[in-house]
Amino acid sequence: MLDSKIPDGPLADKWTKHKDNVRLVNPANKRLIDVIVVGTGLAGSSAAASLAEMGYSVKAFCFQDSPRRAHSIAAQGGINAAKNYQNDGDSTYRLFYDTIKGGDYRSREANVHRLAEVSASIIDQCVMQGVPFARDYGGMLDNRSFGGVQVSRTFYAKGQTGQQLLLGAYSALSRQIGQGKVEMFNRHEMMDVVVVDGKARGIIARNLITGEIERHSAHAVVLCTGGYGNTFFLSTNAMGSNVSAAWKAHRRGSYFANPCYTQIHPTCIPVSDDAQSKLTLMSESLRNDGRIWVPKHSKDVEAIRNGSLKPVDLAEEDRDYYLERRYPAFGNLVPRDVASRAAKERCDAGMGVNKAGQAVFLDFDSAITRYGSTEANVRGIENPTAEEVRALGVAAVEAKYGNLFQMYQQITADNPYETPMKIYPAVHYTMGGLWVDYNLMTTVPGLYAAGEANFSDHGANRLGASALMQGLADGYFVLPYVIGDYLADDIRTGAISTDSSEFDEAEKSVTARIDALLNCGGKTPVDDFHKKLGQIMWNKCGMSRNAIGLREAITEIQALRERFYKEVCVPGRADQFNQELDKAGRVADFLELGELMCKDALERNESCGGHFREEYQSEDGEAARDDKGYTHVSNWEYTGVPSEAALHKEELVFDNVELKTRSYK
Amino acid sequence: MAKSGLLSSSLAKKYAMAATGLFLCLFLVGHLVGNLQLFISGEAGREAFNVYAHFMVSNPAVKLLSYLTYLSILFHAVDGFVLTKLNRKARPVSYAVEKPSENSSWMSRNMMVLGTIMLVFIVVHMQNFWWQMHFGAMPIQVVDGVELHDLYTVVYAFFNPAESMALLSLALYVAAMFAVGFHLWHGFSSSFQSLGLRHAKYTPIIRFFGRAFAVVVPGLFAAVVVYIYLIQA
Amino acid sequence: MDFTLKIWRQEGPQAVGHMATYQVTDISDEMSFLEMIDVLNDQLVRSGDEPVAFDHDCREGICGMCSMFINGEAHGPNRLTTTCQLHMRSFKNGETITIEPWRAAAFPVIRDLVVDRSSMDRIIQSGGYVSVNTNGNTVDANALPIPKPAADEAFEAAVCIGCGACVATCKNASAMLFVAAKVSQLALLPQGQPERTARVEGMVEQMDLEGFGNCTNTGACEVECPMGISLDHIARMNRDYLTAKVANKG
């Protein structure tokens, strides 16, 4: 039976009370306790640094060449915190409420409230570390509004907030490495979790430079290994982002929660050709000023695709501003899941505007005119010409979004000031992940999961600027407290030996897996299988899903997996730097996870957040949640075949908020 | 935390380069003031120049400065060689294809070559005039009862077209002044950067001044010699 | 588009490397440079050869992992662009493209185009931080007003992605721009003041120990830096180090 270990008492007091009651480990004993942290993004770096500061002996692992490279670095927009610096009525409760509602009522109240509570401390901590957040002329921190909420609570550092926060956490981690309190293992991949007497007691890691298989023991293992968006091959994730660590934990007994919850971000640069390796996000903030449209008539679509009609020349009455048409109240600012599905609906109807038919326009023309007229008024220009207005408007838009426009032009060679941007939804974030209790512990004792790797805070849909908040909250302010409660039992354990049958067995299984990949003797490169998997997932377990498609997908993925082990070609040896081998191991795990994602999507007979089942929609095509049947977390226990995993439900109890239907009309 | 002394660190070596370099710029000005008097022809010029030359070798304060100059040249050169050696070691394998002209000036990349040319020039130059002045058999001019070495006459004779080597000497002298100019073109403002003296408002002025200095000072040195050669032709 | 590629191949850290020549055809001008290498690697794997090893991760110009010296320039011919954001339309059809790893004693080659840049991590570890422990009770973020110009300038230094293009470009393989960016960022902010002296001394000392060359102010790093980090920061570090050493009691 799953015990989420939510403390008793009123929602707002739970965390404080819990902190007062968890057991502590005295400083002398902390030195005798080893903790392994896998992954060095926001959650991993901050956790490793904080645990080392407290006195634990920490070993940290990342597959990149430096802990600073983790993909948290690519987050653009900002980080939410309930500081209420703008005096617009924000509060811990409102941040909590927005997050619960944004997650379509599929997250755990107590965890989300704790997240909102510690959010303010994150900003204080980061500022003290020297993170250069944007400031106003009075020297105070600036905020912007984000993701359609009604307050300005997002702190930002231009379009590089993730980078600045990660470098802050990296500097804290570096300080501990410099002091010898964290032993850092760059270019190491976690290959397995070692479970001794039912507790996580170490990992098997592969040194990616030499290929050496290493045993590392610890009293607790923390996985901060990010999300699994790369199951789709094309996503906004980094090329190396993978599910392997979490999947190995799953195979060793950790339940995987809500794997079908994936977030599709509506404003990404569309796929341009077959060799496309990844997708690039354009910040959500662009939707504050851009208008999204496709042509009304197929003949215009055809003309735009073959280049005989320029989009700017299409008359206003021949354009379909479909978000404004369908959602007059929120217009272009509907949440990510709604905007993404609407784009797909138009493109499926044949209205897509690029050659592949998978793009819609994001147009700044009205914004340029609007800003231009305002600016002309400000400068006291009477009866400005259209050219004057345009020039002024372009300058204003450039001041706001210049770096994003430049990035767009760099990638597409189109000038977005002159012709509308083309955008299309892409996989961006995964709300599902390893199930954890209130203490962030998975179902394997001593094995923790934090950040995007766990499932806990975002329900079925994540709000903008909340991922950074969760990563740092888990790493700086949650794990350091809760982990002591578990480790307090280990003060007399002493160092864990790596000479045990459990380590032997784990190492053997790792070596066997590597050998199987290297010796399969096939002819097909790893990426072929990954792309194929991505297509299946995108078409059948993507923005919208149905039972028939999901069943097909499960069969197809099983067949693909079988083919993979027969036909894959992994050149090179195990005892050298071998990127194809690294990739093959990760794709092998995606091939299993993909099946579980489909199984989960098939089992969840409702539409909620990022999970849209075509069978469950209202008459006008909106998502239809089933609160009676599905107000629970679906947790999957590994049984051998992913689609035959055993389901364990954690019922979600909402004592503090009323479940409502989201409406943006 | 930091145990390295001031002189052993890479930055300290740069400070030394910058400080000695800027000091040598001052020396160039002093030297030039003397040389400009070679423009004055006839007895007036001869007297003015020789008096100045005498002052430069006899005044105790100037003497001190001259020792500082020798030291600076030596230090600047040795430090330059050491830095170059370290820098070569920092890239043991070089690139097959490089396009340095895309990102930096030729002068900035070739300070060592230019400096070596200058060092050779300084040795020859000192042998020609400084050695002569101090230890050679010099003609004498008597001014106000004081016997002065007549360096003026020696210089004019050295660059007299009638001398077989004069044209070659002239060419080498002018070439060396080009090296000085190129070296200063980068070196002058670079010294300020090395010492951390950079400012949005003042750095452009320093850079302009440095480049003007790099053109004007070596230009005038060369002009004096060309003038002496031509006027005797 | 078709290209001839000359690529540095080196099997391991101790192995002797060489330039190898490959042909790629039917490259779309929409492809990124790394996607073009993906195409080459796909070709190599299918023909039973080992693919070219290269570092890359985010492919959106921010992680700093990609590192190629392309046609004689770090990150290729375009300014303010990382290799992953370079597209094939920046090259001419039929062109020969030479690709080499970053070259520096402090960046030993691991394999092919992959180098070990952990020397840069060690520099940060020797002082590139503010010593503040995690706790929920630091002063309120707005208790410390920071003038906008200082905050903006600190940000301009803080955007360094740690790719090492400055080292790769510098004829002396100097890491001054990288080190200065961090020193300067923290020197500009009030939070950085308590450790300002120790930081610059510690980081410069580590930089020298790692075997990076000296700065000769050629300015090449500033031109090739994909984030456009200014030489202003190097000047600030020069100034801070001098002040630190002069004022040092030890």
Side-chain angles (χ1 to χ4, degrees):
Chain A
M1 191 57 211
L2 282 170
D3 178 5
S4 54
K5 302 212 173 102
I6 297 169
D8 298 332
L11 182 66
D13 299 339
K14 283 180 197 287
W15 177 232
T16 312
K17 199 178 137 207
H18 189 61
K19 279 196 292 185
D20 289 343
N21 290 326
V22 291
R23 289 178 294 169
L24 300 175
V25 179
N26 91 39
N29 286 331
K30 282 193 188 118
R31 284 195 289 276
L32 306 176
I33 291 181
D34 303 313
V35 180
I36 283 174
V37 178
V38 186
T40 57
L42 286 180
S45 287
S46 58
S50 303
L51 292 169
E53 284 165 10
M54 294 166 78
Y56 295 107
S57 298
V58 178
K59 283 181 174 183
F61 295 79
C62 70
F63 71 80
Q64 299 93 339
D65 75 327
S66 160
R68 67 182 293 157
R69 313 262 187 237
H71 200 55
S72 306
I73 207 159
Q76 297 171 355
I79 176 165
N80 288 332
K83 278 284 200 185
N84 194 27
Y85 281 160
Q86 306 306 324
N87 197 24
D88 52 8
D90 196 15
S91 65
T92 300
Y93 181 81
R94 281 187 196 276
L95 176 53
F96 155 77
Y97 180 79
D98 287 345
T99 308
I100 290 277
K101 179 189 170 202
D104 221 357
Y105 307 96
R106 291 292 177 265
S107 45
R108 205 187 270 154
E109 273 191 346
N111 286 52
V112 176
H113 197 274
R114 174 176 66 190
L115 175 66
E117 278 177 64
V118 303
S119 66
S121 299
I122 297 173
I123 304 303
D124 298 341
Q125 175 73 19
C126 293
V127 165
M128 279 309 288
Q129 285 171 344
V131 171
F133 284 119
R135 289 182 181 263
D136 60 25
Y137 284 96
M140 297 293 156
L141 290 161
D142 195 17
N143 291 110
R144 58 181 168 205
S145 78
F146 213 81
V149 297
Q150 289 164 307
V151 293
S152 285
R153 64 161 74 101
T154 304
F155 294 79
Y156 65 99
K158 288 208 176 141
Q160 281 133 294
T161 318
Q163 182 199 24
Q164 293 310 314
L165 293 174
L166 182 62
L167 293 183
Y170 162 76
S171 72
L173 174 62
S174 295
R175 173 170 159 244
Q176 297 305 316
I177 298 170
Q179 293 178 1
K181 292 183 187 164
V182 172
E183 197 181 348
M184 184 69 222
F185 295 87
N186 297 344
R187 295 199 196 265
H188 274 66
E189 180 131 304
M190 191 199 102
M191 306 300 286
D192 210 347
V193 181
V194 183
V195 180
V196 181
D197 298 333
K199 292 176 173 176
R201 289 302 198 191
I203 63 167
I204 305 291
R206 180 167 179 268
N207 178 332
L208 298 182
I209 298 177
T210 62
E212 204 178 324
I213 303 295
E214 301 170 359
R215 300 177 179 196
H216 297 277
S217 67
H219 298 86
V221 176
V222 182
L223 301 184
C224 305
T225 49
Y228 48 87
N230 269 349
T231 313
F232 292 81
F233 184 70
L234 285 180
S235 79
T236 65
N237 284 9
M239 300 302 288
S241 299
N242 66 79
V243 77
S244 289
W247 192 254
K248 298 299 168 18
H250 175 58
R251 289 177 66 127
R252 292 281 176 191
S254 293
Y255 293 177
F256 211 109
N258 298 331
C260 78
Y261 290 163
T262 45
Q263 180 166 79
I264 315 278
H265 199 293
T267 53
C268 299
I269 300 176
V271 176
S272 62
D273 60 66
D274 294 343
Q276 186 99 25
S277 58
K278 81 149 271 159
L279 297 170
T280 303
L281 177 79
M282 300 302 292
S283 171
E284 188 167 5
S285 60
L286 290 174
R287 281 199 285 145
N288 286 326
D289 281 312
R291 295 177 72 194
I292 295 175
W293 63 275
V294 292
K296 264 186 194 158
H297 312 293
S298 314
K299 64 172 175 41
D300 296 330
V301 171
E302 207 44 54
I304 284 173
R305 283 187 197 172
N306 67 29
S308 59
L309 175 69
K310 281 191 189 157
V312 285
D313 295 335
L314 187 66
E316 199 65 18
E317 62 270 20
D318 293 326
R319 300 176 180 193
D320 177 12
Y321 295 92
Y322 57 86
L323 286 177
E324 297 168 26
R325 167 170 60 80
R326 285 179 66 179
Y327 307 102
F330 276 69
N332 294 296
L333 289 171
V334 291
R336 291 174 177 179
D337 51 346
V338 178
S340 296
R341 276 196 297 276
K344 178 175 161 44
E345 188 274 330
R346 280 294 82 198
C347 291
D348 287 351
M351 295 298 171
V353 294
N354 66 355
K355 279 187 192 127
Q358 301 215 317
V360 299
F361 288 126
L362 176 61
D363 198 333
F364 289 85
D365 201 54
S366 358
I368 287 172
T369 313
R370 181 161 42 91
Y371 283 124
S373 320
T374 313
E375 195 59 31
N377 284 337
V378 170
R379 297 190 187 189
I381 305 171
E382 278 180 39
N383 302 321
T385 63
E387 286 75 36
E388 278 177 318
V389 170
R390 206 175 157 75
L392 290 169
V394 165
V397 168
E398 190 175 0
K400 256 187 135 163
Y401 306 112
N403 63 336
L404 295 169
F405 276 45
Q406 194 190 353
M407 182 163 96
Y408 181 85
Q409 190 163 5
Q410 203 166 46
I411 292 173
T412 63
D414 279 347
N415 180 350
Y417 295 103
E418 285 165 9
T419 181
M421 284 183 182
K422 287 178 198 157
I423 54 161
Y424 198 67
V427 176
H428 176 56
Y429 186 89
T430 51
M431 282 73 67
L434 294 175
W435 182 88
V436 290
D437 62 18
Y438 190 72
N439 294 324
L440 302 186
M441 201 197 288
T442 70
T443 44
V444 173
L447 183 60
Y448 290 79
E452 192 180 349
N454 74 28
F455 87 105
S456 75
D457 295 348
H458 305 298
N461 179 52
R462 180 176 63 74
L463 282 184
S466 284
L468 302 181
M469 173 172 67
Q470 188 220 338
L472 289 180
D474 285 359
Y476 280 138
F477 297 115
V478 179
L479 252 176
Y481 288 101
V482 295
I483 204 167
D485 198 42
Y486 171 81
L487 291 172
D489 285 334
D490 267 325
I491 55 175
R492 288 187 194 83
T493 310
I496 310 285
S497 165
T498 54
D499 283 327
S500 62
S501 56
E502 290 86 354
F503 270 96
D504 287 346
E505 184 274 324
E507 183 176 329
K508 256 186 215 138
S509 79
V510 166
T511 320
R513 282 171 62 87
I514 290 174
D515 288 346
L517 292 170
L518 281 170
N519 299 326
C520 136
K523 293 266 183 289
T524 314
V526 176
D527 278 349
D528 273 26
F529 294 96
H530 198 177
K531 286 180 187 172
K532 192 83 206 29
L533 172 68
Q535 277 162 8
I536 299 171
M537 294 300 294
W538 182 243
N539 292 335
K540 295 179 175 167
C541 193
M543 266 185 285
S544 65
R545 301 129 182 215
N546 62 55
I548 298 167
L550 287 166
R551 283 197 195 94
E552 284 169 5
I554 289 173
T555 320
E556 287 170 33
I557 293 170
Q558 285 172 341
L560 184 66
R561 195 164 63 231
E562 204 170 308
R563 217 157 61 69
F564 175 79
Y565 284 103
K566 278 188 198 141
E567 294 172 17
V568 73
C569 168
V570 182
R573 306 187 311 266
D575 64 347
Q576 61 176 178
F577 188 85
N578 188 339
Q579 290 173 315
E580 286 295 306
L581 177 60
D582 308 344
K583 238 171 18 185
R586 294 168 192 164
V587 171
D589 293 329
F590 284 133
L591 281 166
E592 296 186 11
L593 170 71
E595 187 179 328
L596 181 65
M597 288 167 72
C598 295
K599 169 73 181 173
D600 186 45
L602 183 62
E603 191 279 336
R604 187 165 282 276
N605 292 314
E606 65 162 349
S607 295
C608 62
H611 169 66
F612 186 81
R613 279 280 299 274
E614 288 159 8
E615 304 94 317
Y616 306 100
Q617 52 182 311
S618 64
E619 276 169 20
D620 45 2
E622 301 303 329
R625 234 173 40 220
D626 175 2
D627 290 337
K628 282 212 179 66
Y630 289 92
T631 308
H632 63 246
V633 182
S634 302
N635 301 296
W636 300 94
E637 180 187 2
Y638 184 78
T639 57
V641 178
S643 55
E644 289 164 20
L647 176 63
H648 303 268
K649 295 177 186 172
E650 179 200 342
E651 293 301 332
L652 292 168
V653 182
F654 290 92
D655 293 328
N656 299 276
V657 296
E658 184 195 342
L659 274 59
K660 289 181 185 162
T661 302
R662 293 190 302 162
S663 171
Y664 301 96
K665 292 201 181 271
Chain B
M1 187 184 265
K3 281 168 234 72
S4 69
L6 179 56
L7 284 172
S8 56
S9 86
S10 60
L11 290 198
K13 293 193 186 77
K14 291 295 300 166
Y15 300 145
M17 284 308 272
T20 51
L22 285 176
F23 179 73
L24 291 171
C25 288
L26 278 181
F27 158 75
L28 282 181
V29 175
H31 194 321
L32 182 64
V33 169
N35 282 25
L36 286 177
Q37 298 174 66
L38 290 165
F39 271 131
I40 311 169
S41 49
E43 275 309 302
R46 184 172 165 224
E47 185 180 324
F49 183 76
N50 286 342
V51 167
Y52 181 82
H54 180 73
F55 173 78
M56 295 302 274
V57 294
S58 55
N59 184 292
V62 175
K63 231 181 181 116
L64 187 70
L65 279 179
S66 71
Y67 289 128
L68 264 178
T69 306
Y70 304 144
L71 265 175
S72 291
I73 293 174
L74 203 68
F75 201 97
H76 198 81
V78 171
D79 204 21
F81 281 118
V82 170
L83 281 169
T84 305
K85 195 159 174 289
L86 285 173
N87 291 341
R88 297 245 164 99
K89 218 175 103 188
R91 174 159 299 137
V93 183
S94 50
Y95 291 107
V97 176
E98 276 186 279
K99 275 192 201 144
S101 57
E102 292 288 325
N103 52 43
S104 54
S105 70
W106 184 88
M107 286 72 113
S108 72
R109 297 192 307 272
N110 289 283
M111 293 299 275
M112 187 67 226
V113 176
L114 295 166
T116 309
I117 295 172
M118 285 161 68
L119 189 63
V120 170
F121 168 76
I122 290 168
V123 171
V124 174
H125 186 71
M126 286 182 75
Q127 195 269 329
N128 288 343
F129 300 107
W130 182 88
W131 182 267
Q132 203 66 21
M133 181 80 175
H134 285 80
F135 308 109
M138 292 283 289
I140 299 294
Q141 183 192 23
V142 180
V143 177
D144 295 337
V146 183
E147 285 194 355
L148 304 178
H149 287 180
D150 188 2
L151 191 60
Y152 184 92
T153 306
V154 171
V155 173
Y156 265 75
F158 194 84
F159 291 109
N160 189 334
E163 288 285 329
S164 59
M165 299 290 279
L167 188 59
L168 181 66
S169 301
L170 175 72
L172 289 178
Y173 189 95
V174 172
M177 285 311 113
F178 268 100
V180 174
F182 283 136
H183 199 85
L184 286 171
W185 183 270
H186 171 71
F188 190 91
S189 56
S190 172
S191 303
F192 286 83
Q193 168 78 3
S194 289
L195 294 169
L197 301 171
R198 185 182 174 97
H199 188 277
K201 202 156 54 181
Y202 307 117
T203 295
I205 301 172
I206 292 171
R207 192 170 300 137
F208 176 80
F209 182 81
R211 290 182 177 175
F213 190 90
V215 173
V216 171
V217 172
L220 284 173
F221 271 114
V224 168
V225 176
V226 171
Y227 171 80
I228 291 172
Y229 183 87
L230 291 178
I231 204 169
Q232 299 181 93
Chain C
M1 301 169 95
D2 303 337
F3 298 99
T4 302
L5 305 176
K6 290 190 171 168
I7 302 180
W8 181 260
R9 300 302 307 261
Q10 181 175 336
E11 218 194 312
Q14 311 305 327
V16 179
H18 66 282
M19 297 297 287
T21 307
Y22 303 99
Q23 306 291 333
V24 285
T25 51
D26 286 332
I27 298 296
S28 142
D29 63 349
E30 299 275 303
M31 275 184 204
S32 74
F33 196 84
L34 296 183
E35 284 163 0
M36 184 273 293
I37 303 285
D38 289 341
V39 170
L40 169 69
N41 278 345
D42 184 80
Q43 206 172 292
L44 289 173
V45 172
R46 282 179 206 280
S47 59
D49 292 325
E50 293 201 21
V52 177
F54 64 100
D55 266 332
H56 63 108
D57 201 27
C58 79
R59 294 206 180 185
E60 48 188 283
I62 194 74
C63 78
M65 196 139 170
C66 60
S67 49
M68 291 185 187
F69 206 75
I70 302 164
N71 278 351
E73 285 184 86
H75 292 303
N78 295 0
R79 297 288 162 255
L80 300 175
T81 303
T82 54
T83 299
C84 65
Q85 294 293 287
L86 180 64
H87 285 71
M88 295 318 292
R89 53 178 168 269
S90 299
F91 295 87
K92 284 195 285 292
N93 188 17
E95 198 175 333
T96 297
I97 305 174
T98 308
I99 312 167
E100 298 173 79
W102 284 173
R103 296 285 190 200
F107 289 171
V109 172
I110 290 173
R111 187 171 190 184
D112 297 341
L113 303 173
V114 175
V115 298
D116 179 359
R117 285 169 287 187
S118 49
S119 46
M120 296 171 103
D121 282 332
R122 289 190 291 274
I123 293 174
I124 299 292
Q125 286 155 20
S126 45
Y129 46 74
V130 172
S131 294
V132 50
N133 277 2
T134 307
N135 65 63
N137 306 311
T138 50
V139 293
D140 183 87
N142 258 353
L144 201 64
I146 301 172
K148 187 171 164 62
D152 287 350
E153 200 179 352
F155 176 82
E156 282 164 25
V159 296
C160 169
I161 58 175
C163 64
C166 46
V167 176
T169 290
C170 176
K171 76 180 187 68
N172 310 321
S174 164
M176 285 285 277
L177 193 62
F178 168 76
V179 181
K182 188 47 75 182
V183 166
S184 182
Q185 177 203 340
L186 296 176
L188 281 159
L189 297 172
Q191 301 91 318
Q193 299 314 312
E195 296 166 286
R196 187 168 178 172
T197 305
R199 176 180 307 116
V200 69
E201 288 183 294
M203 291 180 75
V204 168
E205 186 180 15
Q206 189 64 33
M207 172 180 84
D208 289 350
L209 278 174
E210 296 290 348
F212 290 103
N214 302 277
C215 176
T216 52
N217 303 328
T218 66
C221 53
E222 180 187 54
V223 176
E224 299 287 351
C225 172
M227 304 311 281
I229 293 173
S230 157
L231 295 182
D232 288 355
H233 303 295
I234 293 187
R236 184 171 290 107
M237 176 161 90
N238 288 339
R239 201 156 63 226
D240 272 15
Y241 187 77
L242 186 58
T243 320
K245 283 299 181 188
V246 169
N248 203 333
K249 289 182 188 137

